[in-house]
Amino acid sequence: MFKKILIANRGEIAARMIRACHELGIETVAVFSEADSDALHTRLADEAHLIGPATPGESYLRGDKLVEVAQRTGCEAIHPGYGFLSEAPAFARMVRDAGLVFIGPPAEAIEKMGVKTEARAIMVAAGVPIVPGFQSSTATLDDFAREADNIGYPLMVKAAGGGGGKGIRIVHQPERLTEAIESARREALHAFNDPMIFLEKYIADGRHIEVQILADMHGNVIHLFERECSIQRRHQKIIEETPSPFLSDDVRLQMGEAAVNAARAVNYVNAGTVEFIVDNQMNFYFLEMNTRLQVEHPITEMVTGTDLVNAQIRVAAGQPLHFSQDDLCQRGHAIECRVYAEDPGNHFLPATGPVLRTVEPAGPGIRVDAGVVSGDQVTIHYDPMIAKLIVLADNRADAIRKMDWALAQYVILGLTTNLQFLRDVIQHPVFVVGEATTHFVDDYLSEWEPPETSLSDHVLIAAAIGEMLKQQIAMGGRNGGCNGDQYSPWARTDRFRMGQ
Ligand code: ADP
Ligand code: ADP
Ligand code: MG
């Protein structure tokens, strides 16, 4: 097993990986940008090293610097987390060439799945269904228009190199096709340095359902069932759950097998996710494979009783998987909400600033994977996700109630967050009956506004007294005490009672 690992990421996922390492008795080295000198992940790791300015291109995306720090500090492996360099084959190669272990799939597998058009071709060969569409690197706009008529409208224009919901356009009429292709190309060139786009039939009333897989270096490939991620804004997930309230056991099994076949087709090793879009007849079609750990991995951990980061590290160290397909089942129901510093009442505009105070909910079956706690900053430089709130309960109805309660308990002061928006989704009758599709947010919550919060005088007075008490505690009962004990709580109430 490794003795020391470099954590090539920040925020909640860096914190998550550091904990997994420490549980395994592995030392951790964090890296940070100038904007993150006091961030949570630098405080949790055994060591932390500055790698450059705030701009990711000059810090977290500088593979050369990461490898240099890993070598200088005696690390044997690098965990990339998600985002940043997690799906960059050149980085995986650079790590390998430096004699270090990349905790993720082989560069070749990342490369094959990294371009969606190529991944689609591999899936066809592996017998995995794909969404009907058209791809070509030489086609003219007229060719695209002709093929679009064959596919039928509405359809989607998607970036071949895409990710994070970028470079995606829905087109409802032929007149809009050219404009959509051109703007998707521009966005794709800017975001992924690759203007290639392709067409896909738009699956109306579709659900995003993905399958977690794990593969070791000894030929074992297993799946850990599905996650339904249909609650999205701008094609990006905000709430995920497992099991899917929609799938039948038969289709769940078929999707698991298809995901395993997809992984085998590219000699996959380590954790990965095969994403599908599922139509209202329960036909499923391959969307893409994410060759990394995913944001929403905790819900799978909750229902299967596994630790995916622990498994990733063991697999990277060459160990065979320590559980088999037959050992796994889905027990209970898990839901995750992504808590963002953003304004759902204003186009989900990111919010930045200091977090004055957080109080995280706690209790049986409640897990908070936070990247930001009291006193930390949310900056413009990175993803504005504050934390992931995850619950596990016996069944879906209980999980929804538990999530609603946990959201209500979660206190984040100082920034606009989406906490109330998440509660409104969780309580929405369409979500509650399990009928939400990927356009749920557009259909039902596009006009969302924050509720009027007119706090009564009683609440404000209670809050003011609470603050006064806190300040006195901070002063350590300096001016006197109860029976000489300066830490006695009675000392303070005494003073209040005496009107001091
Ligand atoms: P998941 O599939 O794990 O839910 P997301 O799509 O939410 O992942 O992306 C996780 C993080 O990685 C986000 O911060 C997102 O912006 C970023 N990301 C994902 N793919 C890419 C990409 N190809 N280029 C840049 N950032 C990406
Ligand atoms: P990204 O790489 O940005 O994650 P995906 O291909 O995974 O891109 O698509 C992102 C989201 O867009 C999906 O989760 C789904 O909601 C929607 N989507 C993608 N393709 C289709 C499709 N063919 N029909 C309907 N919705 C789709
Ligand atoms: Mg995706």
Side-chain angles (χ1 to χ4, degrees):
M1 183 43 75
F2 307 116
K3 292 194 179 62
K4 203 169 181 183
I5 291 178
L6 182 120
I7 307 295
N9 216 301
R10 65 177 304 285
E12 66 84 20
I13 198 61
R16 164 80 185 90
M17 298 188 295
I18 291 166
R19 285 194 193 100
C21 289
H22 287 173
E23 282 173 31
L24 282 163
I26 299 169
E27 277 184 66
T28 52
V29 176
V31 291
F32 63 95
S33 72
E34 282 164 10
D36 274 343
S37 52
D38 192 32
L40 181 66
H41 72 288
T42 66
R43 308 199 295 268
L44 293 176
D46 298 296
E47 297 172 40
H49 297 265
L50 177 67
I51 46 165
T55 318
E58 296 180 61
S59 49
Y60 296 107
L61 290 172
R62 282 287 300 270
D64 55 341
K65 289 195 182 179
L66 298 169
V67 168
E68 188 266 315
V69 174
Q71 287 180 319
R72 180 154 50 85
T73 55
C75 289
E76 301 137 286
I78 297 185
H79 198 314
Y82 58 71
F84 293 130
L85 291 170
S86 58
E87 294 182 279
F91 179 62
R93 267 196 199 99
M94 188 192 287
V95 172
R96 190 166 65 191
D97 293 348
L100 301 166
V101 175
F102 178 78
I103 303 179
E108 294 71 24
I110 303 177
E111 201 146 52
K112 284 182 182 148
M113 288 299 187
V115 183
K116 287 184 180 163
T117 44
E118 282 177 34
R120 281 165 56 88
I122 295 168
M123 289 309 113
V124 173
V128 177
I130 61 168
V131 187
F134 172 69
Q135 58 197 65
S136 158
S137 50
T138 54
T140 62
L141 284 173
D142 283 343
D143 297 333
F144 275 114
R146 211 171 30 250
E147 294 296 335
D149 288 337
N150 289 338
I151 296 167
Y153 290 83
L155 57 77
M156 285 189 119
V157 177
K158 293 171 72 171
K166 295 200 190 78
I168 295 181
R169 300 285 181 279
I170 302 176
V171 190
H172 294 275
Q173 313 116 313
E175 302 78 57
R176 288 286 162 87
L177 183 68
T178 304
E179 171 194 328
I181 290 179
E182 283 170 352
S183 80
R185 273 184 178 151
R186 272 196 304 275
E187 190 172 314
L189 182 64
H190 182 251
F192 316 116
N193 209 11
D194 174 6
M196 179 141 83
I197 52 94
F198 63 105
L199 306 181
E200 244 181 41
K201 184 178 167 57
Y202 180 71
I203 307 296
D205 299 323
R207 290 161 179 262
H208 175 118
I209 303 179
E210 59 189 32
V211 179
Q212 175 72 52
I213 66 107
L214 260 182
D216 65 18
M217 295 176 190
H218 309 276
N220 302 304
V221 187
I222 60 172
H223 71 82
L224 292 91
F225 309 99
E226 84 281 12
R227 294 185 284 259
E228 171 147 0
C229 318
S230 299
I231 307 297
Q232 306 182 344
R233 48 122 177 73
R234 288 199 230 102
H235 307 296
Q236 270 206 297
K237 306 153 189 168
I238 37 181
I239 297 180
E240 306 94 352
E241 64 179 307
T242 183
S244 159
F246 179 64
L247 288 188
S248 67
D249 288 344
D250 276 0
V251 177
R252 174 172 291 118
L253 265 178
Q254 289 168 28
M255 288 178 71
E257 278 169 22
V260 167
N261 291 339
R264 285 197 190 280
V266 291
N267 298 318
Y268 201 83
V269 177
N270 216 291
T273 297
V274 184
E275 295 188 336
F276 297 97
I277 187 101
V278 184
D279 72 14
N280 53 15
Q281 305 297 305
M282 242 184 268
N283 298 303
F284 60 90
Y285 308 94
F286 172 83
L287 276 184
E288 64 163 341
M289 180 164 188
N290 288 323
T291 52
R292 57 173 162 89
L293 185 69
Q294 271 187 304
V295 176
E296 59 274 21
H297 75 277
I299 56 173
T300 297
E301 298 182 323
M302 298 290 259
V303 298
T304 57
T306 55
D307 180 331
L308 288 168
V309 181
N310 173 298
Q312 283 194 295
I313 296 170
R314 293 193 196 202
V315 162
Q319 296 182 8
L321 286 174
H322 55 289
F323 42 79
S324 68
Q325 191 71 63
D326 292 341
D327 294 330
L328 294 170
C329 67
Q330 292 167 298
R331 191 182 172 129
H333 196 99
I335 304 178
E336 172 183 277
C337 285
R338 300 190 189 188
V339 179
Y340 279 99
E342 68 180 16
D343 185 357
N346 184 17
H347 308 285
F348 300 96
L349 215 68
T352 57
V355 179
L356 299 180
R357 187 161 164 74
T358 59
V359 182
E360 294 171 359
I366 296 178
R367 165 174 168 183
V368 179
D369 282 19
V372 177
V373 295
S374 301
D376 290 337
Q377 295 274 338
V378 177
T379 69
I380 50 164
H381 305 291
Y382 313 110
D383 194 281
M385 192 166 74
I386 292 173
K388 304 181 310 203
L389 172 58
I390 305 119
V391 302
L392 174 69
D394 286 346
N395 54 60
R396 189 168 187 270
D398 286 357
I400 290 175
R401 273 195 294 273
K402 195 186 277 279
M403 178 57 86
D404 188 42
W405 182 86
L407 285 167
Q409 300 302 305
Y410 206 150
V411 177
I412 302 172
L413 299 181
L415 285 172
T416 307
T417 72
N418 66 343
L419 280 170
Q420 183 59 47
F421 180 82
L422 292 168
R423 280 194 81 187
D424 289 345
V425 176
I426 288 290
Q427 293 173 355
H428 196 284
V430 173
F431 180 83
V432 169
V433 295
E435 283 177 7
T437 66
T438 53
H439 40 86
F440 169 85
V441 171
D442 284 341
D443 287 353
Y444 301 103
L445 294 172
S446 60
E447 307 284 304
W448 188 87
E449 282 184 18
E452 294 279 328
T453 47
S454 49
L455 295 177
S456 71
D457 288 351
H458 292 98
V459 173
L460 293 174
I461 291 167
I465 292 176
E467 277 308 308
M468 279 165 64
L469 273 169
K470 255 197 331 220
Q471 280 176 19
Q472 294 216 344
I473 292 171
M475 281 161 66
R478 205 163 11 121
N479 31 357
C482 188
N483 297 332
D485 176 3
Q486 60 171 342
Y487 298 111
S488 166
W490 300 113
R492 286 177 295 273
T493 48
D494 272 356
R495 279 200 308 282
F496 270 112
R497 234 180 283 140
M498 294 183 316
Q500 289 179 359

